[in-house]
């Protein structure tokens, strides 16, 4: 089977097998080839995030939520944090790959909706994971992050600009989400992965309700759209003192 996207990535049959599994089991299966898949956050996004966070620090301890194979820990947290950096994920397979890639970090298997840490981190980040949470789950998720941060701590994550209505990317995302809805209606266990349900105005409201002060910062190195809007923004959600 010809791999999808890159020679190191999963083939079509492997992606189908993943999609017919639960979310956790699917990522266990995908883990050995995740970094060659289209689901891994690109290095240019990670690097732009790290550069922006350097200007908002300094930070001592850092946490990557839904850390996957550890790219965010390696390319972001280790660059901007002076102390211990930790990745948390519910997939044992993904954490096994992360431990091999970044052995000097801390790795914790846990559901981020029930984080074990309290007031332990100066900085929390997340990359490409929010599609795995339904909108009704965001208040709990954000409350957990708020509790895990020290007073004054920062929760940061990039959000891409939505595609133009009617464009090919717009219909691609719409079709993907529709296919996932049909899949989850007909097949169990569910695989939760929706790309169109993480809208910045709603996310901002949920963050404020969880106790954060929210700002955004354009990631200028990722460019701007023809209408002048940044292609990607970094959300900066600050816990109060």
């Amino acid at each position: 089977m010809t791999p999808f996207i890159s020679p190191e990535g999963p083939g079509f049959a492997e992606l189908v097998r993943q999609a017919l599994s639960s979310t956790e089991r699917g990522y266990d299966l995908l883990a050995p080839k995740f970094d060659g898949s289209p689901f891994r956050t690109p290095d240019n996004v990670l690097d732009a995030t790290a550069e922006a966070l350097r200007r908002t620090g300094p930070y001592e301890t850092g946490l990557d939520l839904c850390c996957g194979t550890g790219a965010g820990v390696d390319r972001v947290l280790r660059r901007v944090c002076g102390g211990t950096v930790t990745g948390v994920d519910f997939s044992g397979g993904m954490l096994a790959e992360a431990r091999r890639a970044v052995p000097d970090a801390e790795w914790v298997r846990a559901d981020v909706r029930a984080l074990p840490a309290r007031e332990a981190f100066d900085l929390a980040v997340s990359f490409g994971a929010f599609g795995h949470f339904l909108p009704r789950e965001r208040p709990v998720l954000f409350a957990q992050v708020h509790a895990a941060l020290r007073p004054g701590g920062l929760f940061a994550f990039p959000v891409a600009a939505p595609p133009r209505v009617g464009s090919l990317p717009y219909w691609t995302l719409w079709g993907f989400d529709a296919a996932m809805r049909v899949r989850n209606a007909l097949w169990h266990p569910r695989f939760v992965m929706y790309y169109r349900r993480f809208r910045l105005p709603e996310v901002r409201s949920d963050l404020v309700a969880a106790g954060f002060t929210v700002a955004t910062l354009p990631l200028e190195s990722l460019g701007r759209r023809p209408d002048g809007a940044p292609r990607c923004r970094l959300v900066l959600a600050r816990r109060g003192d």
Side-chain angles (χ1 to χ4, degrees):
M1 179 63 66
T2 301
F4 187 58
I5 297 298
S6 77
E8 296 78 22
F12 179 75
E14 292 171 300
L15 289 173
V16 170
R17 185 183 178 203
Q18 177 209 8
L20 294 177
S21 305
S22 68
T23 312
E24 180 178 349
R25 176 59 178 159
Y27 276 100
D28 285 345
L29 293 170
L30 181 61
K33 297 184 177 181
F34 179 77
D35 286 343
S37 78
F39 308 115
R40 195 260 206 193
T41 301
D43 285 347
N44 65 337
V45 175
L46 298 173
D47 294 344
T49 299
E51 183 60 31
L53 288 174
R54 284 195 187 100
R55 301 194 296 269
T56 67
Y59 304 98
E60 187 65 17
T61 54
L63 172 68
D64 186 358
L65 303 160
C66 306
C67 63
T69 55
V73 169
D74 187 32
R75 298 188 72 94
V76 179
L77 292 183
R78 292 208 303 172
R79 294 180 180 182
V80 302
C81 294
T84 302
V85 293
T86 302
V88 59
D89 204 287
F90 73 164
S91 167
M94 298 292 267
L95 288 173
E97 297 297 321
R99 289 188 182 97
R100 280 191 282 270
V102 192
D104 59 339
E106 299 289 333
W107 303 104
V108 177
R109 187 175 184 181
D111 188 327
V112 296
R113 293 165 295 191
L115 289 171
R118 289 294 179 269
E119 296 193 353
F121 300 99
D122 302 307
L123 173 66
V125 297
S126 192
F127 301 96
F130 295 119
H132 297 303
F133 301 95
L134 299 175
R136 66 173 180 271
E137 297 175 303
R138 284 201 302 259
V140 171
L141 171 62
F142 292 163
Q144 288 292 300
V145 180
H146 187 276
L149 287 169
R150 295 188 176 113
L154 183 71
F155 179 28
F157 51 88
V159 175
R164 180 176 55 82
V165 175
S167 66
L168 179 59
Y170 173 87
W171 289 115
T172 299
L173 294 182
W174 190 94
F176 183 91
D177 278 18
M180 292 304 298
R181 286 176 179 270
V182 172
R183 179 256 185 247
N184 288 329
L186 300 177
W187 190 271
H188 292 277
R190 294 187 309 163
F191 190 94
V192 177
M193 188 174 183
Y194 297 104
Y195 283 110
R196 296 179 62 249
R197 306 182 75 173
F198 195 76
R199 302 179 181 92
L200 187 53
E202 299 163 7
V203 169
R204 183 191 292 268
S205 294
D206 289 340
L207 287 166
V208 170
F212 289 101
T213 300
V214 183
T216 63
L217 179 68
L219 294 177
E220 296 291 359
S221 64
L222 300 180
R224 288 183 173 263
R225 304 195 308 182
D227 63 3
R231 295 189 182 278
C232 191
R233 296 178 183 271
L234 188 65
V235 175
L236 303 171
R238 181 80 63 179
R239 173 178 167 169
D241 295 332

Short mmCIF file of all heavy atoms in Angstrom, two decimals, residues 127-150:
data_model
loop_
_atom_site.label_atom_id
_atom_site.label_comp_id
_atom_site.label_asym_id
_atom_site.label_seq_id
_atom_site.Cartn_x
_atom_site.Cartn_y
_atom_site.Cartn_z
N PHE A 127 -1.34 21.53 20.50
CA PHE A 127 -1.22 21.66 19.05
C PHE A 127 -2.08 20.61 18.35
O PHE A 127 -1.85 19.41 18.51
CB PHE A 127 0.24 21.50 18.62
CG PHE A 127 1.15 22.51 19.24
CD1 PHE A 127 1.87 22.18 20.39
CD2 PHE A 127 1.28 23.78 18.72
CE1 PHE A 127 2.71 23.11 20.98
CE2 PHE A 127 2.11 24.72 19.30
CZ PHE A 127 2.83 24.39 20.44
N GLY A 128 -3.09 21.09 17.64
CA GLY A 128 -3.87 20.22 16.78
C GLY A 128 -4.74 19.19 17.47
O GLY A 128 -5.17 18.22 16.83
N ALA A 129 -5.05 19.40 18.75
CA ALA A 129 -5.77 18.37 19.50
C ALA A 129 -7.22 18.72 19.78
O ALA A 129 -8.00 17.84 20.17
CB ALA A 129 -5.06 18.10 20.83
N PHE A 130 -7.62 19.97 19.60
CA PHE A 130 -8.93 20.39 20.08
C PHE A 130 -10.09 19.81 19.28
O PHE A 130 -11.22 19.82 19.75
CB PHE A 130 -9.02 21.92 20.13
CG PHE A 130 -8.07 22.52 21.12
CD1 PHE A 130 -7.07 23.40 20.71
CD2 PHE A 130 -8.15 22.20 22.46
CE1 PHE A 130 -6.20 23.95 21.61
CE2 PHE A 130 -7.28 22.75 23.39
CZ PHE A 130 -6.29 23.63 22.96
N GLY A 131 -9.82 19.32 18.08
CA GLY A 131 -10.88 18.65 17.33
C GLY A 131 -11.34 17.35 17.95
O GLY A 131 -12.38 16.82 17.55
N HIS A 132 -10.59 16.87 18.94
CA HIS A 132 -10.98 15.63 19.61
C HIS A 132 -11.91 15.87 20.80
O HIS A 132 -12.25 14.91 21.52
CB HIS A 132 -9.74 14.88 20.08
CG HIS A 132 -8.84 14.45 18.96
ND1 HIS A 132 -9.28 13.65 17.94
CD2 HIS A 132 -7.54 14.72 18.70
CE1 HIS A 132 -8.28 13.43 17.10
NE2 HIS A 132 -7.23 14.08 17.53
N PHE A 133 -12.31 17.12 20.99
CA PHE A 133 -13.20 17.46 22.11
C PHE A 133 -14.46 18.12 21.56
O PHE A 133 -14.37 19.07 20.77
CB PHE A 133 -12.50 18.39 23.09
CG PHE A 133 -11.24 17.81 23.68
CD1 PHE A 133 -10.00 18.08 23.10
CD2 PHE A 133 -11.30 16.97 24.77
CE1 PHE A 133 -8.85 17.53 23.61
CE2 PHE A 133 -10.15 16.41 25.29
CZ PHE A 133 -8.92 16.69 24.71
N LEU A 134 -15.60 17.63 21.97
CA LEU A 134 -16.85 18.25 21.57
C LEU A 134 -16.99 19.61 22.26
O LEU A 134 -16.42 19.82 23.34
CB LEU A 134 -18.01 17.34 21.93
CG LEU A 134 -18.00 15.96 21.26
CD1 LEU A 134 -19.13 15.10 21.80
CD2 LEU A 134 -18.07 16.08 19.74
N PRO A 135 -17.72 20.54 21.67
CA PRO A 135 -17.86 21.86 22.29
C PRO A 135 -18.32 21.81 23.74
O PRO A 135 -17.86 22.61 24.56
CB PRO A 135 -18.89 22.55 21.38
CG PRO A 135 -18.67 21.93 20.04
CD PRO A 135 -18.34 20.49 20.33
N ARG A 136 -19.19 20.88 24.07
CA ARG A 136 -19.68 20.80 25.46
C ARG A 136 -18.59 20.36 26.43
O ARG A 136 -18.73 20.53 27.66
CB ARG A 136 -20.87 19.85 25.54
CG ARG A 136 -20.55 18.41 25.25
CD ARG A 136 -21.76 17.51 25.51
NE ARG A 136 -21.51 16.11 25.24
CZ ARG A 136 -21.69 15.51 24.07
NH1 ARG A 136 -22.16 16.21 23.05
NH2 ARG A 136 -21.41 14.22 23.93
N GLU A 137 -17.49 19.80 25.92
CA GLU A 137 -16.39 19.35 26.78
C GLU A 137 -15.37 20.45 27.04
O GLU A 137 -14.54 20.32 27.95
CB GLU A 137 -15.68 18.16 26.14
CG GLU A 137 -16.56 16.93 25.99
CD GLU A 137 -15.86 15.81 25.25
OE1 GLU A 137 -15.42 16.04 24.11
OE2 GLU A 137 -15.74 14.71 25.83
N ARG A 138 -15.41 21.52 26.29
CA ARG A 138 -14.39 22.56 26.44
C ARG A 138 -14.39 23.22 27.81
O ARG A 138 -13.30 23.49 28.35
CB ARG A 138 -14.55 23.61 25.34
CG ARG A 138 -14.06 23.16 23.98
CD ARG A 138 -13.75 24.34 23.07
NE ARG A 138 -14.89 25.21 22.88
CZ ARG A 138 -15.67 25.20 21.79
NH1 ARG A 138 -15.42 24.35 20.81
NH2 ARG A 138 -16.67 26.04 21.68
N PRO A 139 -15.54 23.53 28.42
CA PRO A 139 -15.47 24.15 29.75
C PRO A 139 -14.70 23.31 30.77
O PRO A 139 -13.91 23.85 31.56
CB PRO A 139 -16.95 24.30 30.14
CG PRO A 139 -17.66 24.45 28.83
CD PRO A 139 -16.93 23.52 27.91
N VAL A 140 -14.91 21.99 30.76
CA VAL A 140 -14.17 21.12 31.68
C VAL A 140 -12.69 21.13 31.34
O VAL A 140 -11.83 21.22 32.21
CB VAL A 140 -14.74 19.69 31.65
CG1 VAL A 140 -13.84 18.74 32.43
CG2 VAL A 140 -16.15 19.67 32.21
N LEU A 141 -12.37 21.01 30.05
CA LEU A 141 -10.98 21.00 29.62
C LEU A 141 -10.28 22.28 30.04
O LEU A 141 -9.18 22.24 30.63
CB LEU A 141 -10.93 20.85 28.09
CG LEU A 141 -9.57 21.02 27.43
CD1 LEU A 141 -8.58 19.98 27.91
CD2 LEU A 141 -9.70 20.99 25.91
N PHE A 142 -10.88 23.42 29.76
CA PHE A 142 -10.23 24.69 30.09
C PHE A 142 -10.14 24.90 31.60
O PHE A 142 -9.16 25.49 32.08
CB PHE A 142 -10.99 25.84 29.44
CG PHE A 142 -10.89 25.87 27.93
CD1 PHE A 142 -11.78 26.63 27.17
CD2 PHE A 142 -9.92 25.14 27.26
CE1 PHE A 142 -11.69 26.65 25.78
CE2 PHE A 142 -9.82 25.17 25.88
CZ PHE A 142 -10.71 25.93 25.13
N ALA A 143 -11.11 24.42 32.35
CA ALA A 143 -11.02 24.51 33.81
C ALA A 143 -9.86 23.69 34.34
O ALA A 143 -9.17 24.09 35.29
CB ALA A 143 -12.33 24.06 34.44
N GLN A 144 -9.61 22.53 33.74
CA GLN A 144 -8.49 21.69 34.15
C GLN A 144 -7.15 22.37 33.86
O GLN A 144 -6.23 22.32 34.67
CB GLN A 144 -8.56 20.35 33.43
CG GLN A 144 -9.67 19.43 33.93
CD GLN A 144 -9.41 18.94 35.34
OE1 GLN A 144 -8.43 18.28 35.61
NE2 GLN A 144 -10.33 19.27 36.25
N VAL A 145 -7.05 23.00 32.70
CA VAL A 145 -5.82 23.71 32.37
C VAL A 145 -5.61 24.88 33.33
O VAL A 145 -4.50 25.10 33.82
CB VAL A 145 -5.85 24.21 30.91
CG1 VAL A 145 -4.56 24.95 30.58
CG2 VAL A 145 -6.05 23.05 29.95
N HIS A 146 -6.66 25.62 33.61
CA HIS A 146 -6.58 26.74 34.54
C HIS A 146 -6.06 26.28 35.90
O HIS A 146 -5.19 26.91 36.50
CB HIS A 146 -7.96 27.38 34.67
CG HIS A 146 -7.98 28.66 35.47
ND1 HIS A 146 -8.05 28.67 36.85
CD2 HIS A 146 -7.94 29.97 35.08
CE1 HIS A 146 -8.06 29.92 37.27
NE2 HIS A 146 -7.98 30.73 36.22
N ALA A 147 -6.57 25.14 36.37
CA ALA A 147 -6.15 24.63 37.68
C ALA A 147 -4.71 24.13 37.65
O ALA A 147 -4.01 24.16 38.68
CB ALA A 147 -7.09 23.51 38.11
N ALA A 148 -4.24 23.64 36.51
CA ALA A 148 -2.88 23.11 36.42
C ALA A 148 -1.82 24.20 36.35
O ALA A 148 -0.65 23.96 36.65
CB ALA A 148 -2.74 22.20 35.20
N LEU A 149 -2.23 25.42 35.95
CA LEU A 149 -1.29 26.53 35.84
C LEU A 149 -1.10 27.23 37.19
O LEU A 149 -2.04 27.33 38.00
CB LEU A 149 -1.80 27.55 34.83
CG LEU A 149 -1.72 27.15 33.36
CD1 LEU A 149 -2.50 28.16 32.52
CD2 LEU A 149 -0.28 27.05 32.89
N ARG A 150 0.08 27.74 37.40
CA ARG A 150 0.31 28.59 38.55
C ARG A 150 -0.37 29.94 38.32
O ARG A 150 -0.63 30.31 37.16
CB ARG A 150 1.81 28.80 38.75
CG ARG A 150 2.56 27.52 39.11
CD ARG A 150 4.00 27.84 39.50
NE ARG A 150 4.68 26.61 39.93
CZ ARG A 150 5.68 26.04 39.27
NH1 ARG A 150 6.13 26.59 38.15
NH2 ARG A 150 6.24 24.94 39.72
#
